[in-house]
Amino acid sequence: MSIAEKLTTIAENEQRVHDAGYDSGYSEGKQAEYDRFWDGFQQDGNRKNYWYGFAGPGWTQETLNPKHKIEIVDGTQNAQYAVGMFYRCGCELQANQFIDFSKIADKFDFSKAQRATDMFNSAHITNVIADFSSAVYANTAFANTWGTGVSSLTLKVSELLQNVSQMFYNPNLTRIEMMEGSVWAVSVAFNKCSKLDKVSHISIVDALSTTTSGLTVTFNKAAVNAAFGINVDDPTTYPEGSEFYELRYSRPNWTFSYGS
Amino acid sequence: MKVLIMADKGKVLTDGENYGKTFSLAKGVSVDKYHEITDEEYEKILAEQKTNMEG
């Protein structure tokens, strides 16, 4: 190798060392910035109260990424730590842009939260996974009053739930899947969910309590008709033995309502 | 007996808590529990609910 070639090689190596150092430093700087923000926001992981904690604009897939796992535990009326937690979260995003909650779901545990009112109301979030095993109050949790809203949901509920008449006031929802062990023991309305598919209807009905009485589940009439290829007003379109007939009368203790 | 009740055109059925155009009643539930309101009355109820949701 000539002197000239050696000098060129040295210069190239210097550039590589510089680039590696820059990348490493940049990466460390970004990590330090991330740690500083979230350690402050989450009080080094000790923060308990996330009442409207991630509400409003400014949150994106990149920024909604807590460092410390958030486990909501509230037991008293004044401890409404999950209420409104994601209210209008990401509301400045485009209509077809959503924060994919499934990518960060392992950082949240709602299973001990008793109050989840307004939790995802009008949030620009999809693929929500919400274990509401302990929830008593969750009305408007997935409502959509601002033209945006949760579009896909995996949910667990229990007999503890009260008054959920507006929990699903949301035309954006296309899929609701109930987690294993879910039980609906309160009248519940999906009449605003005009895009719900067949899987969702089956999953919801399968979770209706078999032991309660006097309760009503309300679906969107157009969604039911489209999902099952029937006309709910005309029983001849779903005779005994048909998929919808068997589904509906698997819960003879429930009144089924079809609205809009 | 399987009972299906439907609202007249321009009307909505309700038991005071649940609303719909068509009800497939649970076993043992009486139709007397239900009455009709107009679409306009129903829309007004929905608007009030929406206002309450927005706080």
Side-chain angles (χ1 to χ4, degrees):
Chain A
M1 186 180 285
S2 68
I3 297 295
E5 285 170 338
K6 283 180 182 173
L7 287 174
T8 304
T9 304
I10 289 168
E12 285 173 353
N13 285 340
E14 273 185 350
Q15 187 60 45
R16 286 194 194 103
V17 169
H18 169 270
D19 289 349
Y22 178 83
D23 289 346
S24 172
Y26 182 78
S27 177
E28 285 171 14
K30 293 293 282 184
Q31 184 62 44
E33 186 182 325
Y34 173 87
D35 288 346
R36 190 160 48 248
F37 173 79
W38 285 105
D39 284 342
F41 189 84
Q42 298 189 269
Q43 298 164 4
D44 293 322
N46 295 313
R47 180 173 174 175
K48 306 285 184 206
N49 189 348
Y50 285 90
W51 188 84
Y52 290 89
F54 301 102
W59 297 104
T60 64
Q61 192 76 63
E62 288 70 38
T63 58
L64 185 60
N65 186 22
K67 177 180 175 183
H68 307 280
K69 181 158 183 169
I70 295 172
E71 183 183 20
I72 299 294
V73 181
D74 55 7
T76 68
Q77 195 166 357
N78 293 326
Q80 304 185 25
Y81 297 158
V83 167
M85 196 169 173
F86 302 96
Y87 181 78
R88 297 199 71 198
C89 179
C91 61
E92 82 283 21
L93 295 174
Q94 298 292 316
N96 61 351
Q97 283 185 315
F98 292 91
I99 296 168
D100 186 344
F101 194 80
S102 67
K103 292 181 178 173
I104 50 171
D106 62 339
K107 299 197 173 186
F108 296 91
D109 181 356
F110 309 128
S111 65
K112 295 184 182 69
Q114 296 182 351
R115 292 169 174 79
T117 308
D118 262 352
M119 196 170 181
F120 287 91
N121 188 341
S122 301
H124 242 270
I125 298 180
T126 194
N127 297 326
V128 168
I129 301 168
D131 183 343
F132 284 0
S133 298
S134 304
V136 179
Y137 307 104
N139 205 13
T140 68
F142 305 105
N144 163 14
T145 53
W146 292 82
T148 59
V150 172
S151 58
S152 175
L153 169 66
T154 303
L155 176 67
K156 185 168 187 178
V157 296
S158 78
E159 301 93 333
L160 298 169
L161 260 185
Q162 300 175 11
N163 183 18
V164 291
S165 58
Q166 291 144 34
M167 189 174 186
F168 301 102
Y169 190 104
N170 184 350
N172 273 22
L173 274 163
T174 56
R175 170 66 63 87
I176 299 173
E177 288 194 72
M178 305 305 301
M179 288 185 210
E180 195 173 344
S182 289
V183 179
W184 286 112
V186 62
S187 289
V188 59
F190 301 91
N191 53 305
K192 286 294 169 192
C193 304
S194 55
K195 300 175 192 165
L196 272 193
D197 63 4
K198 184 194 279 190
V199 169
S200 304
H201 287 92
I202 293 171
S203 182
I204 291 164
V205 174
D206 284 347
L208 298 177
S209 167
T210 57
T211 57
T212 52
S213 61
L215 299 178
T216 298
V217 59
T218 301
F219 288 115
N220 181 280
K221 184 187 276 192
V224 171
N225 288 344
F228 292 90
I230 62 167
N231 174 4
V232 289
D233 289 346
D234 180 1
T236 64
T237 64
Y238 49 100
E240 191 169 349
S242 66
E243 187 175 22
F244 184 73
Y245 181 98
E246 297 303 322
L247 182 68
R248 189 271 169 264
Y249 290 107
S250 69
R251 295 297 185 277
N253 55 320
W254 282 76
T255 291
F256 280 47
S257 168
Y258 310 103
S260 59
Chain B
M1 191 170 68
K2 296 176 175 65
V3 179
L4 196 68
I5 55 173
M6 282 172 265
D8 286 342
K9 195 173 180 185
K11 301 279 182 66
V12 172
L13 281 164
T14 181
D15 59 0
E17 181 187 353
N18 305 288
Y19 299 86
K21 289 283 186 181
T22 302
F23 279 77
S24 168
L25 301 188
K27 199 173 176 182
V29 170
S30 168
V31 294
D32 297 340
K33 193 176 165 186
Y34 298 88
H35 65 278
E36 285 181 327
I37 59 173
T38 63
D39 282 345
E40 289 74 26
E41 287 171 316
Y42 177 56
E43 291 302 324
K44 195 176 170 187
I45 290 165
L46 287 179
E48 284 171 3
Q49 288 178 344
K50 188 164 183 267
T51 303
N52 291 336
M53 276 189 273
E54 290 170 352

